[in-house]
Amino acid sequence: MVGFLLFIDRLSAGVGKAFGWCMIILVFGTCYEVFMRYVLRAPTNWAFDMAYTMYGALFLMAGAYTLSRNGHVRGDVLYRLLPTRMQAAMDLALYILFFFPGFLALLVYGYPYAMTSFMIREVSIYSPAGQPIWPLKALIPLGALFMLIQGLAEAIRCVIALRDGAWPQRLQDVEELESAILADEEARARLAEQQVASGAAR
Amino acid sequence: MTNPEVGMLMLGLFIFVILLGFPIAFTLIAMGIFFGYFAMGTRIFDLLVTNTADVMQNDVLTAVPLFLFMGYVIERSNILDRLFHSIQMAAKNLPGSLAVATLITCALFATATGIVGAVVTLMGLLAFPAMLRAGYDTRLAAGVVCAGGCLGIMIPPSVLLILYGATTGTSVVKLYAAAFLPGFLLAGLYVVYVMARAIINPKLAPKPPELDKPLPLGEVIWAMLTSFFPLFILIMAVLGAILFGLATPTEAAAVGCAGALLLAACYRALTFERLKEATYLTARTSAMVCYLFIGSWTFSSVFSYLGGHEVIEAWVKSLELSPTMFLILAQLIIFLLGWPLEWTEIIIIFVPIFLPLLKAFNIDPIIFGILVALNIQTSFNTPPMAMAAYYLKGIAPPHVKLTEIFAGALPFVFLVFITMAVVYIFPEIALWLPQKLYGN
């Protein structure tokens, strides 16, 4: 089961990271526009559409990746004080009640929305370049699908935590600098304690 | 039950579920579609989809991942050690020189990165032990690091003001111009306070012995040229391009990202590994923020459809508050919300509730935004949920007590309140620059 969960984590992370590289296109595409406008006095007609498209794709498709890292922010003042089983029970109920309906709706209603856009070959209204808009809209049901898959994994995690009384492991990944530094410090303190303890035993 | 009553139930239930600790973005979406289905049937599902598409095509929010990326790159560019060292040398003749250098380093680095936790932990590892070694008062040293680390969410170009602009429909450019002087006022007050403490009681902040010898001026200038000025010029270029209307915040941020990558390359810190880290963290943080927007827009459109805003407005009007009283009440609520919530949720979810009231009380949303940005500084430093203090405690030597850190940060919290009062009484501090630059 844990193997299956980690497979889903890897899937979400893979998708999220792949779309994360939109960042580079966003940075250099926009810099190119600024260069063209100020240095060559020849602004592009695609940069504006490119910018929001890259940003929209980037954040929407990173949603499941963020969920796999437990990165969607919680008001966890009380939550973090609760025993693991209690957390898991509440999370499980709320995933079923609150998570799945929302993203199911986004999937079911997002699909015809994107289809319509595709059928009429909708293009951006913001510039004469005529950039197609349907690929971005098609990401809505796709992103919802990945969210649902990852949400299923999270719900299964809750069941495992209910049974075992401990949260199952997640994949290793890059963490915010402060979390990484704090984790390092804790590990060092624990090591020092162990050395003191073993020294005392001797 | 009438519609407005359902709206109130919606808000109450939402606050209850938030306290259960479920991810807030999902709670917002769920509340939006449940109550929306009650109010307008299946049209709510279409609304959810179009809201998602609107967030994806929002040109203000496009700047968010760019500024985040710039921050993550600078955070990983090995600049901080040099920066602190050179500012330390340049400030060595000032009273409380080490603390002043810490504050200035924090202000600059926090402005460039905008990530509170990272600034506090990095400076906590670098400047805090240096101050303790020099014999500084633990409280003063802790307060300086905690307060300085939070300046980045206020001083432009900050992500907080972009989110506020996107939430309220206020111009981000004007917000940046308005936040400029109050931000420097706050940082300046911090510096003056530290110097005053050091002059009154030099034992609190003794000069480190290694800085007591005269330094060749050339060395100091060279150190500043290779650390302080590149970062300073980068920030000023980004900010200047925005303020003088040469580029949109998105464009300026993109150029800032390119500059940050160049800076990192110059410091030999631009490895593929770090680029990956910065990219992936940007993707995750952007998703966290922007899913909140999807939820919040859906929630608040249903809430106002049900007439919830009118109920709140009628209720607040029935209190017959003066605008000043209302402003104090609003800021107090935001201050208290800083306990269970982080600033992203306060800005994206709760500011829209106050927004219609601002017009009723004739309060400029720009001034309100600046006050909120100042207010949120305190939420990192007031117990029980003082994140900055917890970060510092996590990396400080074991003998430093959490209560000492709280006590050290407290005077700086008061300085924030003083700044808020000053900005409220003299709104010109905030409004002069935007008026000068853009007229009315």
Side-chain angles (χ1 to χ4, degrees):
Chain A
M1 200 39 143
V2 173
F4 174 66
L5 292 180
L6 293 184
F7 167 73
I8 294 182
D9 283 3
R10 234 170 257 129
L11 176 73
S12 297
V15 171
K17 288 175 177 178
F19 276 89
W21 292 106
C22 288
M23 197 61 228
I24 302 300
I25 306 175
L26 176 55
V27 169
F28 289 103
T30 309
C31 286
Y32 178 78
E33 153 74 13
V34 172
F35 176 78
M36 291 302 280
R37 192 166 75 216
Y38 281 105
V39 182
L40 304 183
R41 306 257 162 224
T44 68
N45 60 2
W46 47 262
F48 183 82
D49 287 311
M50 178 281 301
Y52 71 76
T53 306
M54 288 303 125
Y55 139 81
L58 167 89
F59 93 78
L60 195 82
M61 298 311 280
Y65 172 36
T66 309
L67 184 57
S68 81
R69 304 300 311 160
N70 197 7
H72 285 284
V73 60
R74 300 166 177 261
D76 58 356
V77 184
L78 302 174
Y79 178 86
R80 73 170 82 193
L81 305 173
L82 299 175
T84 305
R85 282 209 168 87
M86 184 90 163
Q87 289 179 342
M90 267 177 7
D91 269 1
L92 183 61
L94 291 172
Y95 266 113
I96 295 168
L97 205 62
F98 280 5
F99 177 84
F100 290 110
F103 285 94
L104 220 50
L106 208 54
L107 175 64
V108 172
Y109 282 79
Y111 178 72
Y113 181 73
M115 262 326 255
T116 313
S117 176
F118 174 70
M119 300 297 261
I120 61 168
R121 299 290 190 276
E122 187 185 358
V123 294
S124 163
I125 52 165
Y126 298 112
S127 67
Q131 184 200 277
I133 209 81
W134 62 265
L136 191 61
K137 292 191 169 173
L139 290 180
I140 295 176
L142 196 62
L145 181 67
F146 282 115
M147 284 300 267
L148 286 169
I149 296 172
Q150 187 62 45
L152 187 69
E154 297 303 308
I156 295 172
R157 281 203 162 87
C158 294
V159 175
I160 294 177
L162 266 176
R163 192 190 61 194
D164 300 348
W167 287 105
Q169 66 175 106
R170 292 183 186 273
L171 287 174
Q172 285 290 318
D173 203 338
V174 49
E175 279 309 327
E176 295 277 352
L177 214 52
E178 62 267 26
S179 319
I181 293 172
L182 289 176
D184 275 2
E185 284 294 314
E186 250 168 52
R188 198 175 310 152
R190 217 174 303 127
L191 199 68
E193 238 167 62
Q194 276 167 4
Q195 277 165 353
V196 171
S198 65
R202 236 181 282 132
Chain B
M1 236 185 340
T2 62
N3 271 354
E5 278 169 357
V6 176
M8 288 299 113
L9 179 70
M10 178 181 179
L11 186 63
L13 201 59
F14 165 68
I15 292 171
F16 174 71
V17 177
I18 276 194
L19 291 176
L20 295 182
F22 196 62
I24 294 170
F26 309 152
T27 310
L28 283 165
I29 293 176
M31 290 292 150
I33 61 167
F34 291 163
F35 286 89
Y37 187 74
F38 164 85
M40 54 179 108
T42 55
R43 277 186 300 150
I44 180 60
F45 301 127
D46 295 316
L47 187 68
L48 174 65
V49 175
T50 44
N51 274 338
T52 308
D54 286 347
V55 175
M56 290 173 82
Q57 298 179 54
N58 186 297
D59 59 323
V60 175
L61 291 177
T62 307
V64 170
L66 286 164
F67 277 117
L68 289 171
F69 184 69
M70 180 177 154
Y72 285 125
V73 170
I74 290 176
E75 187 182 283
R76 282 165 174 69
S77 68
N78 300 346
I79 195 177
L80 191 63
D81 293 31
R82 293 159 187 265
L83 187 65
F84 181 53
H85 186 67
S86 65
I87 295 178
Q88 216 176 311
M89 290 198 289
K92 80 184 184 71
N93 289 327
L94 295 173
S97 62
L98 210 45
V100 173
T102 306
L103 278 173
I104 296 174
T105 311
C106 277
L108 190 66
F109 192 65
T111 302
T113 65
I115 306 158
V116 170
V119 183
V120 173
T121 40
L122 289 173
M123 286 305 279
L125 285 173
L126 186 67
F128 190 59
M131 284 190 275
L132 293 185
R133 259 200 314 277
Y136 269 54
D137 177 50
T138 313
R139 292 175 186 193
L140 184 66
V144 163
V145 172
C146 288
C150 299
L151 283 170
I153 54 173
M154 164 85 197
I155 301 178
S158 76
V159 173
L160 184 145
L161 294 173
I162 300 178
L163 299 190
Y164 183 87
T167 311
T168 60
T170 323
S171 145
V172 175
V173 179
K174 279 189 184 167
L175 281 167
Y176 276 180
F180 194 74
L181 289 178
F184 276 90
L185 177 67
L186 182 65
L189 271 182
Y190 284 176
V191 171
V192 169
Y193 167 77
V194 166
M195 292 205 298
R197 290 283 306 266
I199 290 170
I200 295 167
N201 185 357
K203 269 192 228 117
L204 288 177
K207 184 176 262 191
E210 69 265 25
L211 284 178
D212 223 3
K213 56 180 194 297
L215 288 166
L217 189 63
E219 195 184 319
V220 179
I221 291 175
W222 177 246
M224 291 292 275
L225 276 180
T226 55
S227 64
F228 179 83
F229 284 103
L231 194 59
F232 184 76
I233 291 168
L234 178 65
I235 297 171
M236 283 304 146
V238 170
L239 196 58
I242 297 173
L243 292 186
F244 292 109
L246 299 175
T248 64
T250 304
E251 289 166 347
V255 176
C257 286
L261 289 169
L262 185 70
L263 205 66
C266 291
Y267 292 119
R268 299 180 193 288
L270 188 64
T271 60
F272 186 58
E273 195 53 40
R274 291 188 184 189
L275 186 66
K276 265 190 343 199
E277 286 178 8
T279 307
Y280 299 161
L281 286 173
T282 305
R284 266 154 52 188
T285 310
S286 310
M288 188 271 276
V289 170
C290 295
Y291 273 80
L292 271 178
F293 268 100
I294 297 177
S296 166
W297 287 5
T298 307
F299 182 93
S300 64
S301 50
V302 173
F303 186 67
S304 62
Y305 186 89
L306 288 168
H309 286 300
E310 279 95 28
V311 179
I312 292 189
E313 205 173 324
W315 179 72
V316 173
K317 273 184 184 156
S318 75
L319 295 177
E320 295 186 357
L321 299 168
S322 69
T324 311
M325 293 285 287
F326 164 74
L327 202 64
I328 292 172
L329 182 72
Q331 296 297 333
L332 185 70
I333 292 173
I334 287 170
F335 176 75
L336 293 176
L337 284 172
W339 174 50
L341 299 176
E342 285 178 33
W343 61 266
T344 31
E345 298 109 77
I346 297 179
I347 298 283
I348 299 172
I349 302 161
F350 287 93
V351 164
I353 295 179
F354 289 113
L355 200 61
L357 297 168
L358 296 183
K359 204 179 269 171
F361 285 101
N362 207 3
I363 294 168
D364 188 341
I366 290 184
I367 285 285
F368 191 75
I370 303 306
L371 292 176
V372 170
L374 281 166
N375 196 343
I376 284 174
Q377 306 267 326
T378 63
S379 73
F380 287 94
N381 283 320
T382 38
M385 283 300 287
M387 286 322 290
Y390 292 141
Y391 290 135
L392 185 59
K393 171 66 187 158
I395 43 124
H399 66 83
V400 177
K401 291 195 216 72
L402 193 57
T403 45
E404 284 181 301
I405 301 177
F406 285 151
L410 202 60
F412 292 94
V413 172
F414 280 114
L415 290 176
V416 176
F417 290 145
I418 291 173
T419 311
M420 286 175 70
V422 169
V423 171
Y424 176 68
I425 298 166
F426 305 104
E428 298 81 19
I429 297 172
L431 296 178
W432 174 79
L433 191 60
Q435 263 159 16
K436 189 92 187 157
L437 288 172
Y438 318 113
N440 286 314

